[in-house]
Each structure stands twice: as C-alpha cells, then as structure tokens.
Amino acid sequence: MVKHHLFWPVAVLAALLLFNFIYSPDFFSIIVRNGNLYGSLIDILNFGSPLIIVALGMTLVIALGGIDLSVGSVVAIAGAISCLLISKGTDQSAWSLVLMAIGVSIAVAIVLGLWNGVLVSIFGMQPIIATLILMVAGRGVAQLIADGQIITVSSKTYNYLGAGSLAMLPFSIFIVAAMFILVSLLTRRTALGLYIESIGCKPTASRLAGIRSRTVMLAVYMFCGLCAGIAGLILSSNVSSADGNNAGLWYELDAILAVVIGGTSLNGGRFSVTGTLIGALIIQTLTTTIYMTGVPPEITLVVKAFVVLVVCLVQSESFRKAIVARWKTRHYPAEREVKQHV
Amino acid sequence: MFNRKFIPIVVTLGLFILMFAVGSFRYTGFFSLQVFNNLLIDNAFLLIVAVGMTFVIVSGGIDLSVGSVIALTTMVSASLLEQGWPPYAVIPVVLLMGAGFGWGMGAIIYYFKIQPFIVTLAGMFLARGLCYVISINTIIIDDAFYTKVAQTKISLPGGNFISISVIIAIVVVAAGFYIAHYTRFGRNTYALGGSEQSALLMGLPVKSTKIKVYMFSGLCSSLAGVVFTFYMLSGYGLHAMGLELDAIAAVVIGGTLLTGGVGYIVGTFFGVMIQGVIQTIISFEGTLSSWWTKIVIGVLLFVFIILQKLLSERKWTLRS
Amino acid sequence: MGVTDKQQPVLQMSGIHKHFPGVKALTNVSFRLFPGEVHALMGENGAGKSTLIKVLTGVYSIDQGTVELEQKAIRIGSPMDAQQAGISTVYQEVNLCPNLSVAENIYIGREPRRFGRIVWNEMNRNAEQLLKRRMNLEIDVTLPLHHYSVAVQQLIAIARAISISAKVLILDEPTSSLDRGEVLQLFAVMSRLKSEGLAILFVTHFLDQVYEISDRITILRSGELIGEYRASELPRIDLVSKMIGKELHLLEELPKEAKSANEGKEPFLQATALGKKGSIEPVDMAIMKGEIVGLAGLLGSGRTELARLIFAADKADSGEVLIEGAKGGVHSPRQAIDNAIAFCSENRKLEGIIDDLTVRENIILALQASKGWFQTISKKRQIEIADEYIKALNINPPNPEHLIKNLSGGNQQKVLLARWLLTRPKLLILDEPTRGIDIGAKAEIQKLVLSLAREGMSVLFISSELEEVLRVSDRIVVLRDRHKVQEMQGEELSQSNVMKAIAGG
C-alpha cells in the first residue's frame, strides 16, 4: 500500500485532520446557518477552490515536463479585467454585463496561456524561462489595467461566483467539482492523458510516434491559462474587488507545491489529478489549521517551508535510501548506482 | 580577436548606453554623473544579490530565496540592535546566518537530489516566515553606526557623491569577477553548469562546488541585506518582496544562460544598471506609473531570451 | 609490438565478482593489461564489459576479488580515485564540458596557478603544446569545446586523460560516431601512445578495428571470462563464435527463397533528389511494394539521415517524395504515419521507448496518436492488442502492465516493432533494429521482417552488419560519404560486391 502513489499525500492529509480533531474536536462540526452549511471543512473547500483550480491546470503543464510561473499574474489580470468591465457598467448586477466581463477575462486568460504555449512549443524556450516573462510583465499589466488602484465592484451577480451558495454549499465548490471532472474526463476519457505523459517523458520519441506535440502543448498551456483565469474570477468576486498588486500573489508557488505534494514529478511524465487535489487540500488545511491554533497567520510560511521540505524529502529517492541504508547497509548502495549509471 | 561569446555582453552594454542616451536627450538634468551614481546607490543591494545569483544560475541552479534572506537579514539586524548588540557583532552574525542558510539549501539539493527550484522555494518561505516570527511590524533602527553609514556621502570630484553601500557593491562585483574567472571554484561552477555528469567523471569536486555556490549566494543575499538595512534603516518582513525576480531578470539581461554554463559578472552589472535606468527614466517622465518598470523588464527579458536562442541556434548550425 | 610474458602487467584484476539484485554481472573474472599494448575487450551485450569498466573506473564497487596496479593492491572507490591512481577513461559520448574552452577541459581541476590565481596564458600555452606534440592537433584552444567535432573532442578527452599521467587508458567505444578518416586519426594517436608505454584498454563493436589496432583480445560472455588471446593468433570466426557462445547455426543463412525480381511490382515510394545540406546529398530511390530494400554503408555514410528524411523526422531541403504515385509529400512524422509509413529509430532510448509508460501503452501509442484525441481505444481492447503482440513477438516478461524501462534491450525493440506493426504500415523503416540485442532475438527479428515482406509490406532495412543486410534484402542501396553510390539486386548481391561499393575507389 505504501507503494501506491496516493499513499503519502493521503497520509499527510489524514495526519493534519487528525491533529485538528485532537486539538479542537469541533473542527469537524458542520452547522446549518441561514440555510447554508458552515464549518472548517467547508471553509477549506471554499477558500481552497482557486488554488485547487490553478493546481489542476498546473498538473497538466508539469506532467508535460513544463512549468507555468505566470499563473499568479494571470489570476491578477483576469480579476482586474472583469472588475474593470463591471465597474464601468451602469447596472453592475446586470447578467449580460457580468457574463460579458467573465467571457472577456477568460478569453484573455486563455490567450495569455497561448502566449506561454507559443513560446514553449514553437520558439522552443525552456518553460521556466518562457513563463517567467509573463510572470514579471503580467503583474505590471494587471496594475496597468487597474491603473494602480484596487477596483471595487458592487455586483450581486458577480459576487455570487465566489461568495454565493447553491444547495447549502458555497458555489465555488461546484466550480471546483466541475473543473475536476472536466480535467479527469479530458485526461482519462480522451487520449490527451496518454499524450501528455508520453511527451513529458520523451518529447522526441513522442513526436516520432506521430503525436502532435505542439498542439498538445498549446492546448495544455491554454488550459492552464483558463484555470488561472477562473481562479482569478473566483478570488475577485469573493471580495468584490481586484488588486493588481496582491491578487494571486504566490499562487504559482502554491500550485506547484500542490502538484508536487500530490506526487507528480517535476520532471514530467506520470501525473495524478487526484493527487493534486489532495495536495491543494493539504496546503489549505494547513493554513486553516494555523488560523485555528491561534498562531499568527504569517507563520504559515514557516510551516509551509517545512511541509515542502518534508514532502520533497519523502519523495526523494536518495533520502529514503539514506534512511533505509541505516539498517540495510549492504544492498542499497549498489542498487542506487545501477539506477544512476545505467 | 573578437570572440562571439561576448555578443550578449556587448548587446547589454549597448542597450544600457542607448537607454542612458535616450534619457539624456529627453530629460534635462538626466545626463550627469550623479544620475549614474544614483543608479549605483539605489541598486547597490540588487547588484550584490545578482552577483550571487549569477553563480547559482551559471552552475545550472536557481535561488528563489534571496529576497526573503534580505528581509530576514534586516529583521535580525534590527532586532539584535534593538536588544543592544553592537553593530560590529551584528554584521558578522547576519553574514554567517546568510551563508549558513545557503549552505543548508545547497546541502539538501546535493544530498537528496531535489530540484533547486523547490528547495530554494522552501527557503524563501522559511526566511520570510522567520521574519514574522521575530515581529510582524517594522522595527526602526536608530543605532548610531547604522545611521552614520546610511548618511555618509563619499564625495567624488565634480561635486558628485556615492554611498558606502556603492563601495561595498563594487567590491563584490570585482570579487565576483575574480572568483568566476580566476579561481578553481569559479571554473568548477562553470563546468558544473556545462555538464554535471562530466564534471563528476572529470574528478571535479561537484559536491563542494554545488554547496558552496548556494552558500555564496546566501552570503551575498545577507550582505545585500546589510546594505539594504543601511538603505532603509529598518527591519521589516515585507522588505525586498519579489527581489529574486529582479535579480534573475538582471542576470538574464546580462547574458547569462538560464540553462547554466555560460554567464558573465560584467553582464550582470549592466543588467542591474539597465533596470535602474528604466526606473530612472520612468521617474523623470513623471506621468508614467511605476508598473511600467515591470512591463519593460518583461519585454527586455523576452528580447534577450530570444536573442540568446538565436545565437545558440546559429552556433548549432556552425557545428553540424 | 610484442608483449613478452616476462613483462609485468601494469594492471591485474583477479577473481572479480560483482552482482546486482537478481543479476550476476561478473563471476570470477580476471583480466590483465600490459604496458605498451592495445588490449581489446570483447563481448556481446550483457557480457559484462561495461560492468568491468565501471569497476575499473570506480563507478561500481566489487563484491570480491582484487585489483592490482603495478603490483600494488588498490581500492577504487570513485572516479576520482581511479584518476588519481592513473586509470583514465574516455567514453563514447564525450564526457567533457561543452561550454568550457578546450584548454580548460584539459586542465580543469589542475589549472596552473600563481598565488591561487589561475594563469590563463600558461594554461592555453600548455594545452596547445600538448595537443600538438602528442595528438598532432593544431587548433585554437581558447574556443569552447562545442565548436569542434566529436572526433576532435575525443582526442581532447584523451589528451586530458594522458596529461593526468595515466598509466592505463580505457577507451569505451570511442569510434562509434567517427568516420573512417577520424578513426585513422584516432588510431594514429593510439599507436603513438602505445609506443610511449601506455596500456590501452579498447572496447569496440567493430571487428575490423579490433584486428587493425589490438595486440591482445580478452573475451567475456555472460559475466564470465572466456579467454585472453593474441589478436594475431585468433581467427575472426573463432572470435565471433567465442563471443556468442554458439556455433554459427543461428547465424546461418535463412532460407533465401527465390528473391523475386522486381519487374512488374509497383513502387510504394519514389524519392527524387531527396536531400539535406550537410547531412545527405540528393538521392533518387524507389521502394516497391513487398520489397525489402537494404541501406548499406559505413556509419556516417548517410544511412540514418536518408531514412529520417523519408519519414520526415528531419526536414529535407530538396527533392520530393511520391507515395503510391501521389504527390503531396511528407512534411512531418505525423504525415508519414498517415501515409502508412513507420519508422523504428536507431536511438531506442531517446527516440523509441517512453520509459514511464507500460508495455501496453507503448504498443498502442502510435495507433492512438493517429486516431486523435477523441477516438480512444478502450482499455480492454488495449490489453487484447498488447497480449496479442506479446505472444506473437515473444515479448518477455509477458505482462502488458510492466514498465518498458525494466525490459531488456531486445524486448524493448520488440515492443517498438509491435507499436509500428499495429499501425498496419505499408512501409516499415527499420534503423538498426538488431543493434545491442542478443543473437536469438536478432534472428527472430530478421525472420519477422522476411515474413512481413512476404505479406506485402515494404521494408527499408538499415544495419551496420553487412551479413544481416545481405540476408534480408531484395535490393541494396549503397551509400558512401553521404552520396548514393550504387544500387544492386539479384545476382549482384554478394558480400564482396557490396564491400567494394562501400569502400569505393
């Protein structure tokens, strides 16, 4: 069972939840208030939804052997565009206006994803470099759109996206569910998953096997842009405002972290969408836990640092071997060498 | 003989001169030695960080923790001074802390073979978080030595001046240049970035080089933190937010390949200067907002990366 | 150059055992190397050659046995230990740093220094002299290594090795990617070093080269020592049979059924003036339906390059390709596949297998790629297909869910064949399909090729082994120095004719 790729992520999540259960038993309690469900678990899903969505897109990019550093900036740009458009309207709650704003910002997000995809697949740039460009410039563009201000909107319709509720649950949870199902279907019901794993593992061999690598790459980066765009909408609608400077800050790092914790290797190849979901939940649970325990929230960063390290160490073959070698000294060094040099 | 490997540096230098010239034609009072000196004064800490970053990137790695280490340095310095430590004890302590921090990250990267990106990301979180452990508020520094250093102006002929931080930065750049080109550690760093496997089989000290590179970057970051403390006269957890990106951008604009193995300290110097000029132009323009800096730097990154791509492809066709 | 038995060996390995979990890589192997000789280490894949070399270079530790260098027992724990002891290795894929200058590559780690400062002038001067004096190479040593060809890089690697006062020089398949001229240049250097008293351990797959340069031959098979011989006293045929361990019945001619004349057959593919600058001069050739065309020529003669142009793995810059008489051309691998062309690359590791995927996924990959995103093959059908091919091609282990990276080279090759056969190609391009795989699997693949052609498939067959090309081909196109020089079929097909064409003149 330890061999199963979801074992470690699930174990960490379970341990976190267990800690919460011991520390404050009402962590698991869910109450009904004003016809809606409330409770820490609901909060985790609700507040974690933008991260989960960004991480889903990131999973596919990382599985391709790439990385997308620009998601945080795209989150900010998408939020800024939709808030700007809505704030210009006379009736900010009008459906047509809100839908138009959502449509435009999602289209822009996809175009930004396409830009990354073009740099990576057509210009052949290293993904970390290609997306760094948009990461740096995008933040400036978001501020440019918002003219350096925080744009606030008062649109009930728009606010529903990130703060409304449906069937007693926050609406954003349904968006997450829809995206999760969409990604699962795309990767497991179509050949896209096989293509992605194949390209992520061996790009040249995949091309020679007839896979249209370029199309797949473009599609995946566009999808990642789409995910970041949706996350940006949820975030900005939740607080009814867009902050070009701070919206989506560190999202790229949290998303990458979620993917890595979920068991997808940064080297590309095999990926696990479920793992990413759990990874993102771990990060969000951790944040919530820290709030609950009354430690100043800024300390989250320290804890995050240790979680990153522990998760990476657990996944690091060298580390596990070093530990195992303590009581099984004889065979492991040889095996490690075989791995490295064959 | 003109060596084509210097093309990126020449382009960087040319761009700097061009931008400075454009600024000089457009704005009165731009073309002066003092404007140039101000570039150095305002970017001294960035220069120092970028030198360390150049080594890391040349070795084929990356260090995302530099901005946070600067913040941590300002925080630790401020709180130690607050507790009455003398400056001559505080500075060595924070330098050691930075080097030790880098050493730790390097060791984890080497021993457990985890991507530098992830390890230094953890380091970034850790250092930033530790700032808040110390305090979530700004700590003002009123130590006599620090204020004196901050206010000292070193006069140059012609009525111009620079700060002590500039001297430190220039010494670091010079030392970086010497280390990169004239010491074994420097050359091993280039070899490591060229091919780690080969470096290992050639019998080079891969382990110590790799760890030392991150240690050096950590040391540079904390030294930059000291300089930053002189500049801000405060410790604060939000200091130097996103500085790692500026440093990486400066290194790339300076002609260093992000894939490792090729890089120039001199290029990095002008990379930082270019960023400084952009900011200066924007402030002279008056109507332009500060976020244009980010957009222009993004565009420059794009242009330089495309340029490197073209150069390396032409090299390829020559070879085959 | 006679090695007398009175001489003391510079290197003596005795009773070496090494095993990996589940594999005995070396069993009681002994090996000795004398100063001033070139000693060839021969063996098929899996014989233990590379393990023995890795033991010598300190990459592997041994389970049992002794290694003596100049009569002193030594322990080699790391590549650095080996180098310090005087054992240097030059690998097929040059292990230098392409971004550093030539001089640095030779002296890095041992740069001349004054007060800790590297003295570049002195280093460059030393490098220039070293290369000129001992390698007969006059080049600009301040340029980065990647400016030079692989052959020159190899000489530079040797220069580095010997300048670290090597007593033993190991050359691990140094000639694999060199052309004839470059091989001769390398041999000249080897002869010179040998006469200076250096002991050279030479590993190669090319029999001609073994006899051209070696004094002695040690043969390994399945991790055991078969024997040590003087090259002059070991006939070729004996060498081969000792290496493969069987008498030659498996290599005997396959029933060469009346290789039908091609008259009356329609062409499947016609290439006119197909070429690419710097890789292959324009070539005209046709492949008939159901015909096996062999491409013969030395490594670097343009065989692989031509095959890659036909499949559009590389882009041609001249000429056109007609498929079944139709124009339109092939501009990408994907189009080639749509035109029922399949290509098994010689570079199995990089361009063939997808390590992380299972045997099943590797098999269906090309078929799925041609079906597109939405027309998927059900998992059940995938398993059926995989099982069918595992059985037909005798793939071992017969488990479709096994990761392909854990299979042996021969079985990986069969999986790749299965991948392409599944796409029902009309033209199958096989580039070195039998390289690095054991003799049994080799014969199986050859038989398969013949039976496929009998069923009407066209095959373009490339191999470094002339016998193999002759055995399977109906027609042979000979390439030399990136030109097509001759085409022969029927009665003309004989070893000597092809050899003459390859050698030219």
Side-chain angles (χ1 to χ4, degrees), chain A residues 189-192 194-195 197-198 201-202 204-212 219 268-270 335 337-338 341-342, chain C residues 20 54 59 311 313 333-334 337 349-357 361 365-366 368-369 372-374 376 420:
Chain A
R189 290 287 156 186
T190 75
L192 188 62
L194 178 70
Y195 295 168
E197 288 182 345
S198 172
C201 181
K202 287 279 175 69
T204 348
S206 306
R207 189 174 74 92
L208 291 185
I211 296 175
R212 293 203 166 102
R270 287 288 190 197
E335 197 183 85
E337 280 163 359
V338 175
H341 297 286
V342 166
Chain C
F20 300 116
K54 282 179 176 158
V59 174
F311 189 69
R334 183 54 196 277
I337 294 167
K349 280 236 148 61
L350 213 63
E351 301 189 334
I353 63 165
I354 313 283
D355 303 36
D356 283 356
L357 300 187
E361 289 168 316
L365 191 63
Q368 180 63 68
W373 288 20
F374 297 108
T376 49
W420 290 115

Side-chain angles (χ1 to χ4, degrees), chain B residues 131-144:
Chain B
C131 293
Y132 298 121
V133 172
I134 296 172
S135 165
I136 53 173
N137 299 316
T138 313
I139 305 177
I140 303 293
I141 294 171
D142 50 12
D143 177 84

Side-chain angles (χ1 to χ4, degrees), chain B residues 3-314:
Chain B
N3 198 329
R4 55 181 296 129
K5 78 178 186 180
F6 293 121
I7 292 178
I9 291 206
V10 172
V11 173
T12 309
L13 179 62
L15 186 68
F16 173 72
I17 293 171
L18 181 76
M19 287 183 137
F20 205 83
V22 167
S24 307
F25 279 114
R26 261 187 87 102
Y27 315 109
T28 46
F30 192 100
F31 185 73
S32 71
L33 192 57
Q34 193 53 48
V35 169
F36 181 80
N37 287 345
N38 287 342
L39 288 182
L40 290 170
I41 294 171
D42 294 334
N43 293 292
F45 58 94
L46 183 57
L47 267 177
I48 299 173
V49 170
V51 168
M53 185 69 86
T54 309
F55 277 82
V56 175
I57 292 180
V58 164
S59 82
I62 198 144
D63 187 353
L64 298 180
S65 73
V66 293
S68 310
V69 173
I70 289 184
L72 184 60
T73 308
T74 66
M75 212 62 195
V76 171
S77 308
S79 76
L80 288 181
L81 289 167
E82 204 178 31
Q83 287 164 32
W85 283 47
Y88 57 82
V90 170
I91 291 175
V93 163
V94 292
L95 291 183
L96 268 178
M97 176 198 74
F101 198 83
W103 178 87
M105 292 192 298
I108 292 172
I109 291 167
Y110 176 79
Y111 284 109
F112 303 127
K113 317 243 175 300
I114 306 176
Q115 280 105 332
F117 184 84
I118 290 288
V119 175
T120 57
L121 174 63
M124 168 190 192
F125 286 155
L126 181 63
R128 199 59 83 174
L130 287 176
C131 293
Y132 298 121
V133 172
I134 296 172
S135 165
I136 53 173
N137 299 316
T138 313
I139 305 177
I140 303 293
I141 294 171
D142 50 12
D143 177 84
F145 174 76
Y146 273 74
T147 39
K148 182 149 195 305
V149 173
Q151 284 157 1
T152 303
K153 290 180 180 175
I154 298 167
S155 298
L156 296 180
N160 301 301
F161 65 90
I162 52 173
S163 64
I164 290 178
S165 300
V166 173
I167 310 265
I168 299 177
I170 287 174
V171 168
V172 170
V173 170
F177 180 81
Y178 181 84
I179 294 172
H181 296 284
Y182 293 102
T183 66
R184 285 205 176 150
F185 165 67
R187 300 322 295 167
N188 291 344
T189 305
Y190 280 84
L192 190 62
S195 163
E196 184 169 345
Q197 175 78 13
S198 296
L200 202 65
L201 287 170
M202 285 160 106
L204 300 180
V206 168
K207 173 179 138 189
S208 75
T209 306
K210 211 171 203 177
I211 296 178
K212 271 190 213 158
V213 161
Y214 288 94
M215 201 168 107
F216 182 68
S217 176
L219 179 67
C220 284
S221 305
S222 55
L223 183 59
V226 171
V227 168
F228 200 78
T229 320
F230 294 147
Y231 192 69
M232 304 296 282
L233 284 181
S234 68
Y236 186 32
L238 282 176
H239 274 334
M241 268 306 221
L243 193 86
E244 51 283 341
L245 282 186
D246 293 340
I248 294 170
V251 171
V252 172
I253 292 174
T256 298
L257 284 186
L258 265 172
T259 39
V262 179
Y264 320 91
I265 299 288
V266 177
T268 298
F269 175 82
F270 285 106
V272 172
M273 289 293 113
I274 285 175
Q275 291 196 14
V277 171
I278 295 171
Q279 274 160 351
T280 312
I281 288 180
I282 283 169
S283 70
F284 265 79
E285 182 69 36
T287 54
L288 282 176
S289 312
S290 63
W291 49 82
W292 279 102
T293 317
K294 286 178 189 159
I295 299 177
V296 174
I297 289 174
V299 171
L300 278 184
L301 265 179
F302 175 71
V303 170
F304 271 78
I305 292 165
I306 292 281
L307 178 80
Q308 291 182 352
K309 197 83 203 150
L310 290 177
L311 284 176
S312 64
E313 256 154 36
R314 278 190 48 207

